[in-house]
Amino acid sequence: MKVPLFNHILLLRYAGLFTYLCTGLPLLSSSWRAEGVETGSPDHVGWCVAYVLFGLMYWFATRGLGRRERHLERVPLLIGMNLAAFAIGWFSHSGISAILFLVIAGVVPWTLPFWPSVVWVLVQCFSLFPVFAREPNFTWPDAFLQCAIYVGFSVFTYATSLVAKQQVDSREEQRRLNSELRATRTLLTESSRMSERMRISRELHDLVGHHLTALSLNLEVASHLVHGAAQEHVRQAQTVAKLLLSDVREVVSQLREGDTIDLSAALKTLVDGVPGLNIHLDLPPRFAVDDPLRAQVLLRCAQEIITNTVKHAGASNLWLRCERTETNELAIHARDDGRGAAGFKQGNGLTGMRERLAQVGGRLNIDTHLDRGFALDAWLPLEAAR
């Protein structure tokens, strides 16, 4: 029997929700409650309120799980979930909160980096020490040992969730790299096509054109050496040779006129399938370059912009616009709705972009502020008329 495929992110979310609902079953029966927790008592009311708050915060904290967004905004919700779970354990005089900490351990890897998330899981488990230590039948070593037992369960849940997140990140990175490879292949195809047209035009001009010119000259000489009907045939052959030479020159001119690299297909391929980011691409009707080096620089700049936005910006949208300016330049304008930066320091990627642009006489301008996104403008001059 074939096992149905599930979205593992949604499955992880609803598994946590199911676990949360199961921990609330003691609320339905007074026989399940710890001694001294009567219906309507302050402890019972506190338990109920904390339980409802935990569920609401879990729902909002796991909404959009796996998307590239500002994950740190979930940290206040995680803190609230920890406080609510601790309150449930405190008011219920039980270890139910430890089960809810397992649910939190499944959310932490999607919110915090590795080492902060590991510390978070350990601290939340040992925060139950006061809950266990206040019980009459628990000594302090017993309370510590009980917390250590729940650390084992939390680590297993955390590791399972972390593996799922790493698989998602790897899959998204593969999709992004595949888009870059397909765009590079498109650019190479265009470059190969242009090189082949150039080779054919040169062969026609240098070989066929040369021989036709020599033939015309020989026919011109022959027309002066023969008389009568033979001379008429030589004249006709000379006319045909001149027409053929004119046709060859016209074909060579047409080949050279179409000798440009169309960047539209490569850029559309590059932005297609980038995971977790909506890219709004704006291109002129025909965006072509006659220099392979400039085409490569422009494509690499677009790649670097998309890569930085995906990895660092925490953005949901990227607007990418390319144009030919009135000053005979190619321009690429990019901006996103990410977190931005107050004290910006460019890394190797942007440094490499500046170096690529400098090779062709281009320039780069960056504008970013905290909570105002990231904006980048790049210009590179077009090659002089060939």
Side-chain angles (χ1 to χ4, degrees):
M1 181 177 179
K2 186 178 180 180
V3 179
L5 296 177
F6 297 99
N7 184 324
H8 54 282
I9 298 178
L10 289 179
L11 189 61
L12 183 66
R13 185 191 190 196
Y14 289 120
L17 183 63
F18 178 76
T19 304
Y20 159 77
L21 294 175
C22 290
T23 58
L25 292 177
L27 290 172
L28 304 177
S29 174
S30 59
S31 61
W32 286 17
R33 296 178 196 146
E35 183 178 355
V37 182
E38 301 293 338
T39 302
S41 65
D43 284 350
H44 183 251
V45 173
W47 183 13
C48 293
V49 172
Y51 180 79
V52 173
L53 290 177
F54 182 95
L56 291 175
M57 287 184 287
Y58 174 82
W59 181 259
F60 287 107
T62 56
R63 187 174 57 178
L65 204 65
R67 296 178 184 173
R68 292 188 179 273
E69 55 186 13
R70 303 177 185 181
H71 300 310
L72 294 180
E73 292 182 352
R74 298 184 187 143
V75 173
L77 292 173
L78 281 181
I79 296 174
M81 290 166 62
N82 275 271
L83 293 176
F86 179 85
I88 291 173
W90 185 267
F91 291 128
S92 66
H93 301 277
S94 68
I96 292 178
S97 54
I99 302 176
L100 296 178
F101 280 160
L102 298 181
V103 176
I104 299 175
V107 181
V108 169
W110 302 84
T111 307
L112 298 174
F114 177 74
W115 287 114
S117 61
V118 170
V119 173
W120 188 292
V121 171
L122 295 177
V123 170
Q124 75 175 10
C125 289
F126 284 102
S127 67
L128 291 174
F129 181 82
V131 175
F132 296 132
R134 70 192 291 241
E135 297 299 320
N137 56 339
F138 269 84
T139 63
W140 283 19
D142 292 337
F144 183 84
L145 181 61
Q146 190 71 19
C147 293
I149 292 175
Y150 286 117
V151 168
F153 293 119
S154 296
V155 167
F156 178 79
T157 305
Y158 171 83
T160 302
S161 182
L162 180 64
V163 169
K165 181 181 182 301
Q166 289 177 344
Q167 288 181 346
V168 171
D169 293 342
S170 299
R171 187 179 297 110
E172 291 183 353
E173 183 68 11
Q174 288 175 357
R175 289 174 58 187
R176 185 184 63 81
L177 291 176
N178 184 54
S179 297
E180 292 185 2
L181 288 174
R182 288 189 289 115
T184 303
R185 183 180 63 184
T186 303
L187 183 61
L188 288 175
T189 301
E190 286 290 311
S191 299
S192 300
R193 181 189 61 81
M194 189 184 75
S195 299
E196 185 64 16
R197 291 170 68 95
M198 176 68 72
R199 187 190 66 80
I200 294 174
S201 67
R202 285 173 177 171
E203 292 292 332
L204 288 174
H205 181 271
D206 296 342
L207 296 180
V208 180
H210 172 74
H211 291 312
L212 287 175
T213 301
L215 177 62
S216 297
L217 292 175
N218 285 306
L219 288 174
E220 178 70 22
V221 174
S223 66
H224 297 289
L225 298 178
V226 297
H227 301 281
Q231 186 181 41
E232 181 64 24
H233 289 293
V234 170
R235 294 285 186 186
Q236 290 179 358
Q238 185 181 12
T239 302
V240 172
K242 289 181 179 180
L243 288 175
L244 185 57
L245 180 60
S246 176
D247 290 339
V248 169
R249 288 173 176 171
E250 183 178 356
V251 170
V252 170
S253 298
Q254 291 177 352
L255 287 174
R256 290 185 177 275
E257 287 177 359
D259 192 15
T260 58
I261 299 176
D262 185 9
L263 282 171
S264 300
L267 289 172
K268 290 178 181 178
T269 303
L270 181 64
V271 304
D272 183 32
V274 176
L277 183 65
N278 296 320
I279 302 179
H280 310 274
L281 183 63
D282 184 10
L283 296 175
R286 175 167 173 77
F287 193 55
V289 184
D290 57 0
D291 180 18
L293 177 59
R294 281 165 171 75
Q296 183 183 25
V297 169
L298 191 67
L299 185 65
R300 292 295 178 262
C301 287
Q303 285 181 350
E304 185 61 32
I305 291 170
I306 295 173
T307 300
N308 284 343
T309 304
V310 170
K311 290 185 175 181
H312 307 299
S316 300
N317 294 278
L318 171 64
W319 290 268
L320 201 60
R321 180 168 62 89
C322 300
E323 63 174 352
R324 288 177 178 266
T325 65
E326 296 179 354
T327 57
N328 199 31
E329 290 180 317
L330 292 175
I332 180 168
H333 309 284
R335 65 182 180 88
D336 60 53
D337 57 356
R339 64 176 67 93
F344 171 71
K345 181 180 179 181
Q346 69 179 27
N348 294 329
L350 291 177
T351 301
M353 188 186 301
R354 287 188 185 276
E355 293 172 350
R356 287 179 183 273
L357 289 169
Q359 288 179 355
V360 292
R363 62 192 189 279
L364 180 68
N365 180 58
I366 298 173
D367 182 25
T368 180
H369 300 280
L370 188 63
D371 295 328
R372 288 176 55 186
F374 189 93
L376 182 148
D377 301 284
W379 299 269
L380 61 155
L382 287 171
E383 188 181 19
R386 301 172 61 184

